[in-house]
mmCIF file of all heavy atoms in Angstrom:
data_model
loop_
_atom_site.group_PDB
_atom_site.id
_atom_site.type_symbol
_atom_site.label_atom_id
_atom_site.label_comp_id
_atom_site.label_asym_id
_atom_site.label_seq_id
_atom_site.Cartn_x
_atom_site.Cartn_y
_atom_site.Cartn_z
ATOM 1 N N ASN A 1 0.855 -1.186 0.000
ATOM 2 C CA ASN A 1 0.000 0.000 0.000
ATOM 3 C C ASN A 1 0.898 1.245 0.000
ATOM 4 O O ASN A 1 1.537 1.556 0.989
ATOM 5 C CB ASN A 1 -0.879 -0.029 1.254
ATOM 6 C CG ASN A 1 -2.063 0.892 1.135
ATOM 7 O OD1 ASN A 1 -2.298 1.457 0.085
ATOM 8 N ND2 ASN A 1 -2.796 1.014 2.222
ATOM 9 N N SER A 2 0.951 1.950 -1.108
ATOM 10 C CA SER A 2 1.765 3.156 -1.177
ATOM 11 C C SER A 2 0.911 4.309 -1.686
ATOM 12 O O SER A 2 -0.077 4.118 -2.369
ATOM 13 C CB SER A 2 2.961 2.937 -2.101
ATOM 14 O OG SER A 2 2.512 2.686 -3.407
ATOM 15 N N GLY A 3 1.313 5.538 -1.333
ATOM 16 C CA GLY A 3 0.586 6.718 -1.770
ATOM 17 C C GLY A 3 -0.270 7.274 -0.641
ATOM 18 O O GLY A 3 -0.191 6.848 0.512
ATOM 19 N N PHE A 4 -1.130 8.208 -0.992
ATOM 20 C CA PHE A 4 -1.976 8.878 -0.011
ATOM 21 C C PHE A 4 -3.428 8.550 -0.300
ATOM 22 O O PHE A 4 -3.830 8.382 -1.449
ATOM 23 C CB PHE A 4 -1.793 10.403 -0.083
ATOM 24 C CG PHE A 4 -0.392 10.848 0.217
ATOM 25 C CD1 PHE A 4 0.456 11.234 -0.806
ATOM 26 C CD2 PHE A 4 0.068 10.890 1.524
ATOM 27 C CE1 PHE A 4 1.738 11.650 -0.535
ATOM 28 C CE2 PHE A 4 1.351 11.307 1.800
ATOM 29 C CZ PHE A 4 2.198 11.690 0.775
ATOM 30 N N THR A 5 -4.218 8.557 0.742
ATOM 31 C CA THR A 5 -5.659 8.357 0.555
ATOM 32 C C THR A 5 -6.279 9.703 0.207
ATOM 33 O O THR A 5 -5.686 10.766 0.430
ATOM 34 C CB THR A 5 -6.316 7.797 1.829
ATOM 35 O OG1 THR A 5 -6.197 8.773 2.854
ATOM 36 C CG2 THR A 5 -5.665 6.483 2.252
ATOM 37 N N LEU A 6 -7.480 9.669 -0.292
ATOM 38 C CA LEU A 6 -8.190 10.890 -0.661
ATOM 39 C C LEU A 6 -8.413 11.776 0.564
ATOM 40 O O LEU A 6 -8.246 12.993 0.507
ATOM 41 C CB LEU A 6 -9.526 10.543 -1.330
ATOM 42 C CG LEU A 6 -10.381 11.720 -1.777
ATOM 43 C CD1 LEU A 6 -9.618 12.556 -2.800
ATOM 44 C CD2 LEU A 6 -11.691 11.236 -2.344
ATOM 45 N N SER A 7 -8.759 11.190 1.685
ATOM 46 C CA SER A 7 -9.003 11.984 2.891
ATOM 47 C C SER A 7 -7.715 12.655 3.387
ATOM 48 O O SER A 7 -7.753 13.797 3.846
ATOM 49 C CB SER A 7 -9.614 11.119 3.991
ATOM 50 O OG SER A 7 -8.746 10.061 4.323
ATOM 51 N N GLU A 8 -6.573 11.991 3.292
ATOM 52 C CA GLU A 8 -5.312 12.611 3.687
ATOM 53 C C GLU A 8 -4.981 13.808 2.788
ATOM 54 O O GLU A 8 -4.529 14.856 3.266
ATOM 55 C CB GLU A 8 -4.174 11.594 3.611
ATOM 56 C CG GLU A 8 -4.219 10.530 4.683
ATOM 57 C CD GLU A 8 -3.194 9.441 4.471
ATOM 58 O OE1 GLU A 8 -2.807 9.167 3.317
ATOM 59 O OE2 GLU A 8 -2.768 8.845 5.481
ATOM 60 N N MET A 9 -5.218 13.672 1.495
ATOM 61 C CA MET A 9 -4.957 14.781 0.563
ATOM 62 C C MET A 9 -5.900 15.945 0.830
ATOM 63 O O MET A 9 -5.481 17.115 0.807
ATOM 64 C CB MET A 9 -5.080 14.301 -0.881
ATOM 65 C CG MET A 9 -3.914 13.404 -1.282
ATOM 66 S SD MET A 9 -3.983 12.822 -2.968
ATOM 67 C CE MET A 9 -3.934 14.330 -3.876
ATOM 68 N N LEU A 10 -7.177 15.682 1.096
ATOM 69 C CA LEU A 10 -8.137 16.753 1.370
ATOM 70 C C LEU A 10 -7.783 17.500 2.650
ATOM 71 O O LEU A 10 -7.869 18.733 2.706
ATOM 72 C CB LEU A 10 -9.557 16.189 1.453
ATOM 73 C CG LEU A 10 -10.168 15.769 0.124
ATOM 74 C CD1 LEU A 10 -11.529 15.124 0.348
ATOM 75 C CD2 LEU A 10 -10.303 16.964 -0.808
ATOM 76 N N ILE A 11 -7.372 16.781 3.685
ATOM 77 C CA ILE A 11 -6.974 17.436 4.936
ATOM 78 C C ILE A 11 -5.762 18.330 4.704
ATOM 79 O O ILE A 11 -5.703 19.465 5.186
ATOM 80 C CB ILE A 11 -6.700 16.382 6.030
ATOM 81 C CG1 ILE A 11 -8.015 15.735 6.470
ATOM 82 C CG2 ILE A 11 -5.985 17.003 7.224
ATOM 83 C CD1 ILE A 11 -7.853 14.539 7.369
ATOM 84 N N THR A 12 -4.799 17.867 3.926
ATOM 85 C CA THR A 12 -3.614 18.655 3.614
ATOM 86 C C THR A 12 -3.987 19.926 2.858
ATOM 87 O O THR A 12 -3.494 21.020 3.166
ATOM 88 C CB THR A 12 -2.619 17.823 2.787
ATOM 89 O OG1 THR A 12 -2.294 16.639 3.516
ATOM 90 C CG2 THR A 12 -1.356 18.608 2.487
ATOM 91 N N ILE A 13 -4.875 19.801 1.888
ATOM 92 C CA ILE A 13 -5.299 20.974 1.103
ATOM 93 C C ILE A 13 -6.030 21.967 1.986
ATOM 94 O O ILE A 13 -5.817 23.184 1.873
ATOM 95 C CB ILE A 13 -6.165 20.519 -0.092
ATOM 96 C CG1 ILE A 13 -5.276 19.795 -1.110
ATOM 97 C CG2 ILE A 13 -6.870 21.696 -0.739
ATOM 98 C CD1 ILE A 13 -6.035 19.140 -2.239
ATOM 99 N N VAL A 14 -6.893 21.516 2.889
ATOM 100 C CA VAL A 14 -7.623 22.414 3.781
ATOM 101 C C VAL A 14 -6.654 23.146 4.714
ATOM 102 O O VAL A 14 -6.782 24.352 4.943
ATOM 103 C CB VAL A 14 -8.688 21.623 4.578
ATOM 104 C CG1 VAL A 14 -9.250 22.449 5.718
ATOM 105 C CG2 VAL A 14 -9.802 21.171 3.653
ATOM 106 N N VAL A 15 -5.664 22.447 5.246
ATOM 107 C CA VAL A 15 -4.686 23.087 6.145
ATOM 108 C C VAL A 15 -3.879 24.141 5.383
ATOM 109 O O VAL A 15 -3.677 25.255 5.870
ATOM 110 C CB VAL A 15 -3.766 22.020 6.784
ATOM 111 C CG1 VAL A 15 -2.577 22.682 7.480
ATOM 112 C CG2 VAL A 15 -4.549 21.166 7.754
ATOM 113 N N ILE A 16 -3.417 23.809 4.186
ATOM 114 C CA ILE A 16 -2.656 24.779 3.388
ATOM 115 C C ILE A 16 -3.522 25.983 3.041
ATOM 116 O O ILE A 16 -3.066 27.127 3.116
ATOM 117 C CB ILE A 16 -2.090 24.102 2.122
ATOM 118 C CG1 ILE A 16 -0.979 23.123 2.507
ATOM 119 C CG2 ILE A 16 -1.548 25.139 1.138
ATOM 120 C CD1 ILE A 16 -0.480 22.270 1.362
ATOM 121 N N GLY A 17 -4.772 25.746 2.683
ATOM 122 C CA GLY A 17 -5.689 26.846 2.376
ATOM 123 C C GLY A 17 -5.895 27.760 3.571
ATOM 124 O O GLY A 17 -5.942 28.979 3.438
ATOM 125 N N GLY A 18 -6.049 27.175 4.764
ATOM 126 C CA GLY A 18 -6.207 27.985 5.975
ATOM 127 C C GLY A 18 -4.988 28.833 6.262
ATOM 128 O O GLY A 18 -5.099 30.002 6.644
ATOM 129 N N LEU A 19 -3.810 28.260 6.082
ATOM 130 C CA LEU A 19 -2.575 29.029 6.281
ATOM 131 C C LEU A 19 -2.454 30.162 5.279
ATOM 132 O O LEU A 19 -1.999 31.263 5.613
ATOM 133 C CB LEU A 19 -1.357 28.108 6.205
ATOM 134 C CG LEU A 19 -1.200 27.109 7.353
ATOM 135 C CD1 LEU A 19 -0.054 26.153 7.072
ATOM 136 C CD2 LEU A 19 -0.989 27.840 8.664
ATOM 137 N N MET A 20 -2.872 29.921 4.051
ATOM 138 C CA MET A 20 -2.820 30.979 3.031
ATOM 139 C C MET A 20 -3.784 32.104 3.364
ATOM 140 O O MET A 20 -3.477 33.280 3.145
ATOM 141 C CB MET A 20 -3.103 30.401 1.648
ATOM 142 C CG MET A 20 -1.948 29.566 1.127
ATOM 143 S SD MET A 20 -2.228 28.913 -0.505
ATOM 144 C CE MET A 20 -2.162 30.408 -1.469
ATOM 145 N N LEU A 21 -4.966 31.776 3.889
ATOM 146 C CA LEU A 21 -5.920 32.815 4.283
ATOM 147 C C LEU A 21 -5.360 33.689 5.400
ATOM 148 O O LEU A 21 -5.634 34.888 5.462
ATOM 149 C CB LEU A 21 -7.241 32.195 4.718
ATOM 150 C CG LEU A 21 -8.135 31.696 3.588
ATOM 151 C CD1 LEU A 21 -9.365 31.001 4.155
ATOM 152 C CD2 LEU A 21 -8.548 32.848 2.692
ATOM 153 N N LEU A 22 -4.587 33.092 6.291
ATOM 154 C CA LEU A 22 -3.973 33.881 7.361
ATOM 155 C C LEU A 22 -2.859 34.784 6.819
ATOM 156 O O LEU A 22 -2.640 35.884 7.320
ATOM 157 C CB LEU A 22 -3.398 32.956 8.435
ATOM 158 C CG LEU A 22 -4.426 32.189 9.278
ATOM 159 C CD1 LEU A 22 -3.718 31.193 10.181
ATOM 160 C CD2 LEU A 22 -5.259 33.156 10.093
ATOM 161 N N ALA A 23 -2.137 34.348 5.806
ATOM 162 C CA ALA A 23 -1.003 35.108 5.267
ATOM 163 C C ALA A 23 -1.426 36.155 4.236
ATOM 164 O O ALA A 23 -0.687 37.112 3.994
ATOM 165 C CB ALA A 23 0.000 34.153 4.637
ATOM 166 N N LEU A 24 -2.600 36.006 3.630
ATOM 167 C CA LEU A 24 -3.023 36.901 2.550
ATOM 168 C C LEU A 24 -3.074 38.378 2.956
ATOM 169 O O LEU A 24 -2.567 39.228 2.224
ATOM 170 C CB LEU A 24 -4.365 36.444 1.976
ATOM 171 C CG LEU A 24 -4.848 37.173 0.744
ATOM 172 C CD1 LEU A 24 -3.867 36.964 -0.412
ATOM 173 C CD2 LEU A 24 -6.227 36.684 0.346
ATOM 174 N N PRO A 25 -3.653 38.761 4.099
ATOM 175 C CA PRO A 25 -3.667 40.188 4.462
ATOM 176 C C PRO A 25 -2.267 40.784 4.600
ATOM 177 O O PRO A 25 -2.031 41.921 4.190
ATOM 178 C CB PRO A 25 -4.415 40.212 5.798
ATOM 179 C CG PRO A 25 -5.245 38.986 5.795
ATOM 180 C CD PRO A 25 -4.448 37.966 5.033
ATOM 181 N N LYS A 26 -1.334 40.035 5.176
ATOM 182 C CA LYS A 26 0.036 40.533 5.309
ATOM 183 C C LYS A 26 0.687 40.724 3.942
ATOM 184 O O LYS A 26 1.411 41.690 3.714
ATOM 185 C CB LYS A 26 0.894 39.560 6.139
ATOM 186 C CG LYS A 26 0.542 39.554 7.588
ATOM 187 C CD LYS A 26 1.124 40.765 8.248
ATOM 188 C CE LYS A 26 0.979 40.640 9.744
ATOM 189 N NZ LYS A 26 1.341 41.864 10.409
ATOM 190 N N PHE A 27 0.421 39.812 3.048
ATOM 191 C CA PHE A 27 0.969 39.904 1.693
ATOM 192 C C PHE A 27 0.399 41.128 0.971
ATOM 193 O O PHE A 27 1.140 41.881 0.339
ATOM 194 C CB PHE A 27 0.661 38.628 0.901
ATOM 195 C CG PHE A 27 1.146 38.669 -0.506
ATOM 196 C CD1 PHE A 27 2.495 38.572 -0.802
ATOM 197 C CD2 PHE A 27 0.255 38.817 -1.560
ATOM 198 C CE1 PHE A 27 2.952 38.616 -2.099
ATOM 199 C CE2 PHE A 27 0.703 38.868 -2.865
ATOM 200 C CZ PHE A 27 2.045 38.764 -3.129
ATOM 201 N N GLN A 28 -0.915 41.338 1.069
ATOM 202 C CA GLN A 28 -1.540 42.496 0.423
ATOM 203 C C GLN A 28 -0.999 43.799 1.007
ATOM 204 O O GLN A 28 -0.782 44.774 0.280
ATOM 205 C CB GLN A 28 -3.057 42.439 0.575
ATOM 206 C CG GLN A 28 -3.703 41.364 -0.255
ATOM 207 C CD GLN A 28 -5.190 41.238 0.015
ATOM 208 O OE1 GLN A 28 -5.666 41.533 1.107
ATOM 209 N NE2 GLN A 28 -5.929 40.793 -0.991
ATOM 210 N N ASP A 29 -0.779 43.839 2.304
ATOM 211 C CA ASP A 29 -0.224 45.018 2.959
ATOM 212 C C ASP A 29 1.178 45.306 2.438
ATOM 213 O O ASP A 29 1.524 46.457 2.167
ATOM 214 C CB ASP A 29 -0.207 44.790 4.468
ATOM 215 C CG ASP A 29 0.103 46.043 5.245
ATOM 216 O OD1 ASP A 29 -0.600 47.053 5.036
ATOM 217 O OD2 ASP A 29 1.055 46.016 6.050
ATOM 218 N N ALA A 30 1.973 44.275 2.278
ATOM 219 C CA ALA A 30 3.332 44.450 1.750
ATOM 220 C C ALA A 30 3.304 44.951 0.313
ATOM 221 O O ALA A 30 4.126 45.786 -0.086
ATOM 222 C CB ALA A 30 4.101 43.136 1.841
ATOM 223 N N VAL A 31 2.350 44.489 -0.482
ATOM 224 C CA VAL A 31 2.226 44.943 -1.875
ATOM 225 C C VAL A 31 1.860 46.420 -1.914
ATOM 226 O O VAL A 31 2.440 47.195 -2.684
ATOM 227 C CB VAL A 31 1.193 44.091 -2.634
ATOM 228 C CG1 VAL A 31 0.842 44.721 -3.972
ATOM 229 C CG2 VAL A 31 1.716 42.679 -2.837
ATOM 230 N N ARG A 32 0.918 46.837 -1.068
ATOM 231 C CA ARG A 32 0.530 48.263 -1.037
ATOM 232 C C ARG A 32 1.702 49.139 -0.628
ATOM 233 O O ARG A 32 1.936 50.188 -1.216
ATOM 234 C CB ARG A 32 -0.642 48.457 -0.082
ATOM 235 C CG ARG A 32 -1.942 47.955 -0.626
ATOM 236 C CD ARG A 32 -3.113 48.321 0.301
ATOM 237 N NE ARG A 32 -4.267 47.533 -0.047
ATOM 238 C CZ ARG A 32 -4.705 46.487 0.648
ATOM 239 N NH1 ARG A 32 -4.089 46.116 1.751
ATOM 240 N NH2 ARG A 32 -5.756 45.817 0.249
ATOM 241 N N ARG A 33 2.428 48.729 0.396
ATOM 242 C CA ARG A 33 3.589 49.498 0.861
ATOM 243 C C ARG A 33 4.639 49.604 -0.247
ATOM 244 O O ARG A 33 5.216 50.669 -0.475
ATOM 245 C CB ARG A 33 4.191 48.820 2.100
ATOM 246 C CG ARG A 33 5.257 49.645 2.779
ATOM 247 C CD ARG A 33 5.820 49.000 4.050
ATOM 248 N NE ARG A 33 4.832 48.387 4.898
ATOM 249 C CZ ARG A 33 4.736 47.072 5.128
ATOM 250 N NH1 ARG A 33 5.578 46.239 4.565
ATOM 251 N NH2 ARG A 33 3.803 46.593 5.931
ATOM 252 N N SER A 34 4.849 48.518 -0.951
ATOM 253 C CA SER A 34 5.806 48.503 -2.057
ATOM 254 C C SER A 34 5.351 49.417 -3.196
ATOM 255 O O SER A 34 6.166 50.107 -3.813
ATOM 256 C CB SER A 34 5.987 47.076 -2.559
ATOM 257 O OG SER A 34 6.812 47.049 -3.689
ATOM 258 N N ASP A 35 4.057 49.435 -3.481
ATOM 259 C CA ASP A 35 3.532 50.302 -4.539
ATOM 260 C C ASP A 35 3.722 51.778 -4.202
ATOM 261 O O ASP A 35 4.077 52.583 -5.070
ATOM 262 C CB ASP A 35 2.052 50.015 -4.786
ATOM 263 C CG ASP A 35 1.824 48.729 -5.555
ATOM 264 O OD1 ASP A 35 2.779 48.235 -6.194
ATOM 265 O OD2 ASP A 35 0.690 48.209 -5.521
ATOM 266 N N VAL A 36 3.509 52.149 -2.943
ATOM 267 C CA VAL A 36 3.703 53.552 -2.534
ATOM 268 C C VAL A 36 5.177 53.932 -2.668
ATOM 269 O O VAL A 36 5.507 55.014 -3.173
ATOM 270 C CB VAL A 36 3.183 53.782 -1.096
ATOM 271 C CG1 VAL A 36 3.586 55.154 -0.580
ATOM 272 C CG2 VAL A 36 1.669 53.630 -1.051
ATOM 273 N N ARG A 37 6.072 53.044 -2.253
ATOM 274 C CA ARG A 37 7.513 53.320 -2.407
ATOM 275 C C ARG A 37 7.915 53.420 -3.872
ATOM 276 O O ARG A 37 8.734 54.258 -4.246
ATOM 277 C CB ARG A 37 8.333 52.229 -1.719
ATOM 278 C CG ARG A 37 8.647 52.568 -0.296
ATOM 279 C CD ARG A 37 9.648 51.603 0.290
ATOM 280 N NE ARG A 37 8.897 50.748 1.207
ATOM 281 C CZ ARG A 37 8.974 49.434 1.286
ATOM 282 N NH1 ARG A 37 9.799 48.775 0.531
ATOM 283 N NH2 ARG A 37 8.242 48.775 2.127
ATOM 284 N N GLY A 38 7.341 52.560 -4.702
ATOM 285 C CA GLY A 38 7.632 52.605 -6.134
ATOM 286 C C GLY A 38 7.170 53.911 -6.762
ATOM 287 O O GLY A 38 7.870 54.498 -7.592
ATOM 288 N N ALA A 39 5.984 54.374 -6.376
ATOM 289 C CA ALA A 39 5.473 55.645 -6.895
ATOM 290 C C ALA A 39 6.342 56.811 -6.421
ATOM 291 O O ALA A 39 6.625 57.744 -7.183
ATOM 292 C CB ALA A 39 4.024 55.847 -6.460
ATOM 293 N N ARG A 40 6.780 56.760 -5.167
ATOM 294 C CA ARG A 40 7.669 57.809 -4.651
ATOM 295 C C ARG A 40 8.971 57.849 -5.456
ATOM 296 O O ARG A 40 9.442 58.912 -5.858
ATOM 297 C CB ARG A 40 7.978 57.567 -3.179
ATOM 298 C CG ARG A 40 8.923 58.616 -2.600
ATOM 299 C CD ARG A 40 9.415 58.236 -1.241
ATOM 300 N NE ARG A 40 10.312 57.086 -1.375
ATOM 301 C CZ ARG A 40 10.670 56.310 -0.368
ATOM 302 N NH1 ARG A 40 10.217 56.524 0.840
ATOM 303 N NH2 ARG A 40 11.503 55.305 -0.572
ATOM 304 N N THR A 41 9.534 56.693 -5.722
ATOM 305 C CA THR A 41 10.763 56.615 -6.509
ATOM 306 C C THR A 41 10.536 57.157 -7.910
ATOM 307 O O THR A 41 11.394 57.854 -8.460
ATOM 308 C CB THR A 41 11.261 55.159 -6.569
ATOM 309 O OG1 THR A 41 11.499 54.714 -5.233
ATOM 310 C CG2 THR A 41 12.537 55.033 -7.383
ATOM 311 N N LYS A 42 9.392 56.864 -8.504
ATOM 312 C CA LYS A 42 9.064 57.352 -9.849
ATOM 313 C C LYS A 42 8.994 58.877 -9.867
ATOM 314 O O LYS A 42 9.537 59.520 -10.768
ATOM 315 C CB LYS A 42 7.749 56.738 -10.320
ATOM 316 C CG LYS A 42 7.278 57.242 -11.660
ATOM 317 C CD LYS A 42 8.216 56.877 -12.772
ATOM 318 C CE LYS A 42 7.832 55.558 -13.356
ATOM 319 N NZ LYS A 42 8.651 55.219 -14.541
ATOM 320 N N VAL A 43 8.353 59.490 -8.865
ATOM 321 C CA VAL A 43 8.249 60.957 -8.811
ATOM 322 C C VAL A 43 9.632 61.586 -8.668
ATOM 323 O O VAL A 43 9.964 62.551 -9.368
ATOM 324 C CB VAL A 43 7.312 61.390 -7.654
ATOM 325 C CG1 VAL A 43 7.411 62.888 -7.404
ATOM 326 C CG2 VAL A 43 5.879 61.000 -7.962
ATOM 327 N N VAL A 44 10.453 61.040 -7.787
ATOM 328 C CA VAL A 44 11.812 61.575 -7.596
ATOM 329 C C VAL A 44 12.621 61.423 -8.880
ATOM 330 O O VAL A 44 13.338 62.344 -9.293
ATOM 331 C CB VAL A 44 12.506 60.881 -6.399
ATOM 332 C CG1 VAL A 44 13.975 61.244 -6.331
ATOM 333 C CG2 VAL A 44 11.799 61.223 -5.100
ATOM 334 N N THR A 45 12.495 60.283 -9.536
ATOM 335 C CA THR A 45 13.217 60.051 -10.796
ATOM 336 C C THR A 45 12.774 61.030 -11.870
ATOM 337 O O THR A 45 13.616 61.577 -12.596
ATOM 338 C CB THR A 45 12.996 58.601 -11.272
ATOM 339 O OG1 THR A 45 13.490 57.715 -10.265
ATOM 340 C CG2 THR A 45 13.713 58.333 -12.580
ATOM 341 N N LEU A 46 11.469 61.262 -11.984
ATOM 342 C CA LEU A 46 10.969 62.210 -12.986
ATOM 343 C C LEU A 46 11.494 63.621 -12.717
ATOM 344 O O LEU A 46 11.888 64.330 -13.645
ATOM 345 C CB LEU A 46 9.439 62.206 -13.005
ATOM 346 C CG LEU A 46 8.780 60.995 -13.635
ATOM 347 C CD1 LEU A 46 7.270 61.015 -13.387
ATOM 348 C CD2 LEU A 46 9.070 60.935 -15.127
ATOM 349 N N TYR A 47 11.496 64.032 -11.447
ATOM 350 C CA TYR A 47 12.010 65.362 -11.127
ATOM 351 C C TYR A 47 13.496 65.467 -11.484
ATOM 352 O O TYR A 47 13.941 66.452 -12.078
ATOM 353 C CB TYR A 47 11.792 65.705 -9.654
ATOM 354 C CG TYR A 47 12.245 67.115 -9.345
ATOM 355 C CD1 TYR A 47 11.438 68.191 -9.670
ATOM 356 C CD2 TYR A 47 13.485 67.365 -8.778
ATOM 357 C CE1 TYR A 47 11.855 69.490 -9.429
ATOM 358 C CE2 TYR A 47 13.913 68.652 -8.530
ATOM 359 C CZ TYR A 47 13.094 69.710 -8.853
ATOM 360 O OH TYR A 47 13.508 70.997 -8.633
#
């Protein structure tokens, strides 16, 4: 008997999905902060 059962794979996917939901707000916050810094750099470069 080798491999994973369907229930083991589903539990793994649910756990990974839950962890991603917890990390998503932090990731979005980092993207917004990066976008503001990028725009600031663009304005300074244009000047």
Side-chain angles (χ1 to χ4, degrees):
N1 198 7
S2 63
F4 299 103
T5 65
L6 180 60
S7 60
E8 289 172 332
M9 288 181 61
L10 287 175
I11 290 171
T12 303
I13 290 172
V14 168
V15 168
I16 290 172
L19 291 173
M20 288 182 69
L21 284 175
L22 291 173
L24 187 62
K26 289 283 190 189
F27 178 73
Q28 289 174 332
D29 191 54
V31 168
R32 286 187 195 104
R33 189 178 318 113
S34 175
D35 285 342
V36 171
R37 269 190 253 134
R40 179 190 69 197
T41 301
K42 176 64 90 175
V43 169
V44 170
T45 300
L46 286 171
Y47 184 79

